[in-house]
Amino acid sequence: MKTLSVGNANVDLLLYVEEPPACGAQVEACLFEKRPGGAASNFAVAAAKLGVSSSILCCVGSDSEGDWLLRELEACGVETSLVAHVEAPTGFVVIVVDKRGERSMIAFRGANALLAQAVRSLNSSLKADWVHVASVKPDTAEAALAIAKSLGCNTSYDPGSLVAKVGLRQLEDVFRFVDVLFLNEFEAATLMAVDYEEMDHVFEKVPVTVVKMGSKGSRAAAEGCWIEAPAFPVEAVDTTGAGDAFDAGFVFAYASGLSLREALIFANACGALKVTRRGSQASPSLSEVINFLKERGFEALASKLLMSSESFNRKAMDR
Ligand code: ADP
């Protein structure tokens, strides 16, 4: 299986605190880390760790931080030939993580603001079975997903919290090109005041809608039915990037031929393992997820996933 992830790549500056500061207050951070991040970059790394042939289309600055991000992506096995070096500084995000693992963020978009130009360079030479667009505004997402669909790819879109605020109407045009829509609970609430009956109607244009619900797990709607899978209880230290690890897990499992429920369970395991570790790209490898599922009584699902993904990868290599 080959995935292309389209969206942001950032330098994450992580500050770990007991409690985030109130307005006008100052708090001490007990730990500071600089890590690669950005939703599309996180997804690309998470997919590569699951054994998927993973590439990324994003923009970085022609600066040392941009070079560093590329080296980090390549070290994780992500193919970077579609990355654009642009005349703007590489994007930064300051992330404050509290003692419960919950985070607040301040983003400087920088080079990411020029993604629309890079998307225009996508053409028929694109080699991917699945194109995932993450945290990208609707018009740019629509352009990328329309190209992907015209080339016969499966697609997913995770609009992210800022985009959810633009409202459903602006997203409806994008939905025409989306096979799987990912939202978290906050985004779903912002879009339609969390009336799941309403969502059946609203998302009739999207074959599968997945709602990620943090420590409560996830649910998915397809053909008017909701399926739910509870989260795996774990001790969360950092929830940054959990949604991206979840998305990559879901795409991997669903494209490998697992049912919707099985894909949710697999994706929940990816998200749960991620939150036990620091950093937005600390997503698990395939063998870590398989072992985790086995330890929690999902041996049959783990074996089925291994068999399905092997045969799926064989078919993809034959193509
Ligand atoms: P996002 O990062 O997009 O806001 P969530 O916070 O809902 O998404 O996390 C994505 C998935 O990761 C959840 O659906 C769940 O499967 C898993 N997850 C997140 N937080 C926890 C937690 N505290 N315990 C167990 N699993 C979690």
Side-chain angles (χ1 to χ4, degrees):
M1 177 181 176
K2 294 187 174 75
T3 58
L4 172 69
S5 172
V6 180
N8 296 341
N10 293 312
V11 176
D12 283 354
L13 302 175
L14 292 122
L15 292 157
Y16 294 89
V17 297
E18 282 286 304
E19 295 290 342
C23 188
Q26 181 180 329
V27 296
E28 294 263 324
C30 52
L31 182 66
F32 166 75
E33 287 173 337
K34 173 184 161 189
R35 293 182 185 268
S41 169
N42 298 344
F43 178 96
V45 168
K49 287 187 179 176
L50 293 175
V52 170
S53 167
S54 169
S55 58
I56 185 166
L57 189 159
C58 61
C59 293
V60 296
S62 303
D63 49 27
S64 58
E65 301 298 354
D67 293 343
W68 177 71
L69 283 183
L70 284 204
R71 282 198 304 277
E72 292 288 320
L73 282 164
E74 284 161 8
C76 292
V78 177
E79 211 272 317
T80 59
S81 61
L82 290 175
V83 176
H85 289 263
V86 297
E87 287 308 315
T90 294
F92 272 89
V93 182
V94 176
I95 304 172
V96 178
V97 185
D98 72 17
K99 63 180 175 208
R100 290 168 293 275
E102 297 298 334
R103 80 276 185 189
S104 322
M105 302 196 239
I106 304 172
F108 167 67
R109 291 178 54 70
N112 294 304
L114 301 172
L115 185 69
Q117 282 172 27
V119 163
R120 276 184 229 118
S121 70
L122 264 185
N123 57 37
S124 55
S125 62
L126 169 65
K127 298 244 179 318
D129 308 294
W130 195 295
V131 174
H132 176 76
V133 178
S135 293
V136 170
K137 56 185 183 155
D139 48 351
T140 309
E142 187 180 342
L145 292 162
I147 296 168
K149 272 283 151 215
S150 73
L151 297 173
C153 306
N154 289 310
T155 58
S156 46
Y157 181 36
D158 189 332
S161 57
L162 285 175
V163 179
K165 285 183 194 144
V166 306
L168 209 52
R169 222 161 257 264
Q170 289 212 40
L171 291 175
E172 272 181 350
D173 286 343
V174 191
F175 290 167
R176 293 179 291 156
F177 305 108
V178 177
D179 295 315
V180 178
L181 175 69
F182 292 107
L183 300 170
N184 69 15
E185 217 177 12
F186 168 76
E187 292 149 14
T190 312
L191 283 178
M192 74 288 295
V194 190
D195 181 338
Y196 289 108
E197 300 291 318
E198 281 257 303
M199 281 173 77
D200 292 344
H201 165 72
V202 167
F203 291 122
E204 62 193 12
K205 292 199 179 96
V206 182
V208 178
T209 302
V210 178
V211 180
K212 298 168 272 183
M213 305 185 300
S215 59
K216 287 178 283 177
S218 55
R219 54 166 75 198
E223 293 172 3
C225 284
W226 281 100
I227 292 168
E228 199 159 329
F232 291 95
V234 290
E235 195 169 323
V237 298
D238 179 8
T239 58
T240 323
D244 305 317
F246 176 102
D247 292 359
F250 184 91
V251 165
F252 172 72
Y254 196 57
S256 298
L258 266 66
S259 70
L260 212 48
R261 182 184 303 280
E262 290 167 331
L264 287 180
I265 295 168
F266 183 83
N268 280 344
C270 293
L273 278 165
K274 157 61 213 96
V275 302
T276 61
R277 302 158 184 182
R278 291 202 157 104
S280 57
Q281 298 191 345
S283 47
S285 67
L286 181 57
S287 59
E288 285 173 325
V289 190
I290 296 284
N291 289 338
F292 181 86
L293 286 169
K294 284 183 181 162
E295 281 162 21
R296 278 155 183 79
F298 289 96
E299 289 90 354
L301 172 56
S303 316
K304 187 174 171 190
L305 196 269
L306 269 182
M307 270 164 25
S308 318
S309 66
E310 275 165 19
S311 100
F312 187 86
N313 277 334
R314 263 198 310 278
K315 276 189 223 143
M317 279 169 76
D318 293 345
R319 245 176 262 150

